[in-house]
Amino acid sequence: LAALFLPLGGEYLSRLVLFDKTLDPHERRLVFSYYEAVVKRHVFARGAQSKVFLSKNPPFTMRLDSLRTTFPDARLVCLLRDPLESVPSMVSYIAAVWAFFASPRVAYPNADGLFDFCIQHYSYPLVCFRDKSDSKHDIPPSGSGRFCGGPAGTQVAFVYYEALRLRLVAVVVALLQDLGYTRAMSSEFLRAEESLSSRYRSSHGHSPELCCQRSPTEMREIFKTIYDTFDFDGFTPVLK
């Protein structure tokens, strides 16, 4: 949100966005010590009913090391979407937001900066969970939707976006079971949500050539490490 009001924030916003890579350890500890205190107050206020604190926070992607350090028993879920779909969508979406608040002179403002932003967000989880190894087998089974042990006991689950969209109930139930959530859930509600998600189609068009000035072949080469690690074309939905 800060980027919308401070589009020329430059290095200051970059330090905030890239967090683990740009802030020194002392700054990171200060920020996460405060965040930890906020979480503890929230859980305390909820009383005995609050056993698991769930945070859906996309910026945490660039804060994974700080999260592991502050919450060593945390379980992390990384959502995977094909860069050929997600990156142009991101550039297109931000362009629409900028056009709403201002009058940009180009169709896709700061497209190169946003493209680099996406590269960082795809590559950083691999850095965190491979633990200095280049072997794809050190990554928990991609898209399985189940928690697996990572470096230093980290529990992480990688879930394909398409699996979540097409098999919402199976993915969510598997994750909740691993989290120890045993409260009964309405199957009618879950099936209705699955029906909606499987039919969802984005309302704005986007293509790598138009939004990113790069062909699909160029995109696959730039994200080669990601494509070598995760099989977006042949993903296996949870609980086939």
Side-chain angles (χ1 to χ4, degrees):
L1 291 176
L4 298 177
F5 301 101
L6 301 168
L8 302 179
E11 63 174 298
Y12 299 106
L13 285 179
S14 177
R15 293 182 74 240
L16 179 63
V17 170
L18 300 181
F19 203 83
D20 278 355
K21 289 188 172 185
T22 52
L23 298 186
D24 65 51
H26 176 67
E27 290 177 307
R28 289 165 55 185
R29 281 195 299 272
L30 285 176
V31 172
F32 267 82
S33 292
Y34 172 75
Y35 179 69
E36 181 183 20
V38 171
V39 171
K40 286 181 176 180
R41 286 197 295 271
H42 173 82
V43 173
F44 178 79
R46 296 285 294 176
Q49 292 183 345
S50 181
K51 296 181 180 179
V52 176
F53 179 78
L54 176 65
S55 176
K56 175 184 175 294
N57 201 331
F60 275 171
T61 301
M62 298 305 296
R63 295 159 170 76
L64 289 173
D65 191 54
S66 296
L67 280 170
R68 291 193 305 174
T69 301
T70 308
F71 305 102
D73 59 343
R75 282 165 287 189
L76 309 173
V77 180
C78 294
L79 188 63
L80 301 168
R81 189 182 183 189
D82 191 333
L84 279 171
E85 298 177 359
S86 65
V87 178
S89 177
M90 164 83 168
V91 175
S92 174
Y93 168 71
I94 295 299
V97 174
W98 257 323
F100 181 83
F101 285 98
S103 301
R105 297 180 181 180
V106 295
Y108 300 101
N110 195 31
D112 286 340
L114 292 171
F115 192 87
D116 183 64
F117 171 90
C118 291
I119 291 175
Q120 299 280 356
H121 279 68
Y122 270 99
S123 61
Y124 190 59
L126 301 190
V127 174
C128 285
F129 298 128
R130 271 194 175 143
D131 203 17
K132 301 181 181 179
S133 171
D134 291 328
S135 170
K136 68 182 293 182
H137 299 295
D138 289 324
I139 296 293
S142 57
S144 67
R146 307 309 296 258
F147 287 93
C148 304
T154 301
Q155 291 288 301
V156 57
F158 286 88
V159 178
Y160 284 112
Y161 170 86
E162 281 300 302
L164 188 63
R165 189 176 71 84
L166 298 175
R167 301 294 302 276
L168 177 69
V169 173
V171 175
V172 171
V173 168
L175 289 172
L176 291 177
Q177 286 176 343
D178 279 358
L179 287 171
Y181 188 90
T182 58
R183 186 181 302 176
M185 294 172 288
S186 167
S187 59
E188 182 179 345
F189 169 78
L190 289 176
R191 295 297 174 187
E193 288 297 311
E194 182 174 68
S195 176
L196 289 173
S197 68
S198 64
R199 296 198 308 268
Y200 173 78
R201 295 293 182 274
S202 175
S203 60
H204 68 283
H206 47 268
S207 71
E209 294 93 342
L210 182 63
C211 300
C212 307
Q213 299 299 304
R214 293 170 175 86
S215 69
T217 300
E218 291 173 315
M219 290 277 289
R220 286 185 176 274
E221 182 60 31
I222 293 170
F223 289 92
K224 186 177 185 305
T225 301
I226 305 303
Y227 283 108
D228 286 347
T229 304
F230 301 111
D231 182 13
F232 294 98
D233 294 324
F235 78 91
T236 303
V238 174
L239 304 181
K240 296 186 294 183

